[in-house]
Amino acid sequence: MDRLIEAIDNTQNPSVVGLDPTEALVPPQVVASFADEVRDSVESPEEIESAQLAVAYFEYNRTIIDAIADIVPAVKPQIAMYEALGPAGVDIYTMTCEYAAQQGLYVLGDIKRGDIGSTAAAYAHHLNGVGDFDPWHEDAVTVNPYLGTDGITPFVKAAAEADKDIFVLVRTSNPSSSELQMLDLADGTKVYEHVADLVEGWGAETIGSHGYSRVGAVVGATHPEEGKALRERMPHTFFLVPGYGAQGGTAADVAGMFDKQGSGAIVNSSRGIIGAWKKSGKYSESMTADEALDLVASSARQAALGMRDNLRVAVYR
Ligand SMILES: O=c1ccn([C@@H]2O[C@H](COP(=O)(O)O)[C@@H](O)[C@H]2O)c(=O)[nH]1
């Protein structure tokens, strides 16, 4: 986690921009501008739509990355948005991760994998690659702990080998998260608290020079009180905090998830940054693709600066 913490220190910005493109978030003239290019490159007419969206997603992502790379430490591409397009989308996911890494950003792949040990070992190649080849270009991935220790150990091992990190789901931001996570166990703890204790244990051998291990936790901005209590309970665990912005979380809600030095967490916003152009009031259907991308860039930068400034006030107090 040392590299992430140093990137946050360098930017004085504990936020990560989520790259979660959807068809509704990319201006239509940008998608349309790739029609001729993909028509000549696909093997069958059925592939045209996904190929066209995929190249449009990459242009959109590159525009956003260029607009924010000097002010944020990290990006979090959500692989589901890319897998939804099939192989063309997966290619764009890896190209996005590579491009972001080339711009000096820490790349947190939101892949939420989890399986029995042998299969988890295969998923863990997201971190340690294939021989010397790193096809994914991620610095960290998210992992689902539902299968327990043997589903996590391969990721911890791969992360240590490759000098990378993982973030394990502990208290997620979504409305139904309490159905399982808030259940009471026989010893009086909640399920999510038990997972939190496991996560501290899974990371114990990998604590870096800033006091945090390679095994981070996902803690939703929508649970401020539980997040604050988890900060105390998990002194060596760095938090990835989604749920800011579009899901209702605020800077005040996440403040308690940071440690006394203003470290210990990074807050994600996806739609709130990459979709800011839609709320700018400046968009017009008559814009060219280049004009629309300029608006995407300026709106994303403005939203990212606003988030940074709000977090600075709430966290670096
Ligand atoms: O508990 C969780 C875990 C992951 N996510 C992911 O974060 C982003 C949030 O997107 P917004 O547009 O900022 O709401 C998305 O990729 C989720 O899959 C989460 O929201 N909550």
Side-chain angles (χ1 to χ4, degrees), residues 84 147-148 151 184 271:
L147 282 90
D184 290 313
R271 288 166 292 179

Side-chain angles (χ1 to χ4, degrees), residues 20 76 78 110 112 169 171-174 218 242-244 246-247 268-272:
D20 299 27
K76 183 179 79 62
Q78 168 54 262
D110 199 346
K112 293 194 186 67
L169 302 178
R171 185 73 183 100
T172 61
S173 64
N174 54 313
V218 177
Y244 182 97
Q247 295 177 51
N268 177 79
S269 177
S270 304
R271 288 166 292 179

Side-chain angles (χ1 to χ4, degrees), residues 86-102:
V90 176
D91 279 350
I92 293 307
Y93 174 83
T94 62
M95 285 167 61
T96 296
C97 293
E98 182 175 24
Y99 185 71
Q102 285 166 348

Side-chain angles (χ1 to χ4, degrees), residues 18-104:
L19 297 174
D20 299 27
T22 61
E23 188 170 1
L25 284 176
V26 183
Q29 53 273 67
V30 175
V31 180
S33 70
F34 290 104
D36 292 340
E37 184 180 315
V38 296
R39 203 172 299 116
D40 297 336
S41 66
V42 293
E43 284 173 16
S44 67
E46 295 79 33
E47 291 173 51
I48 288 180
E49 192 179 335
S50 78
Q52 191 172 343
L53 276 176
V55 286
Y57 282 9
F58 185 66
E59 201 53 36
Y60 172 76
N61 285 347
R62 189 162 53 180
T63 298
I64 292 165
I65 290 166
D66 288 347
I68 49 96
D70 62 325
I71 53 165
V72 303
V75 288
K76 183 179 79 62
Q78 168 54 262
I79 202 168
M81 305 315 189
Y82 305 84
E83 285 179 346
L85 303 182
V90 176
D91 279 350
I92 293 307
Y93 174 83
T94 62
M95 285 167 61
T96 296
C97 293
E98 182 175 24
Y99 185 71
Q102 285 166 348
Q103 308 318 306

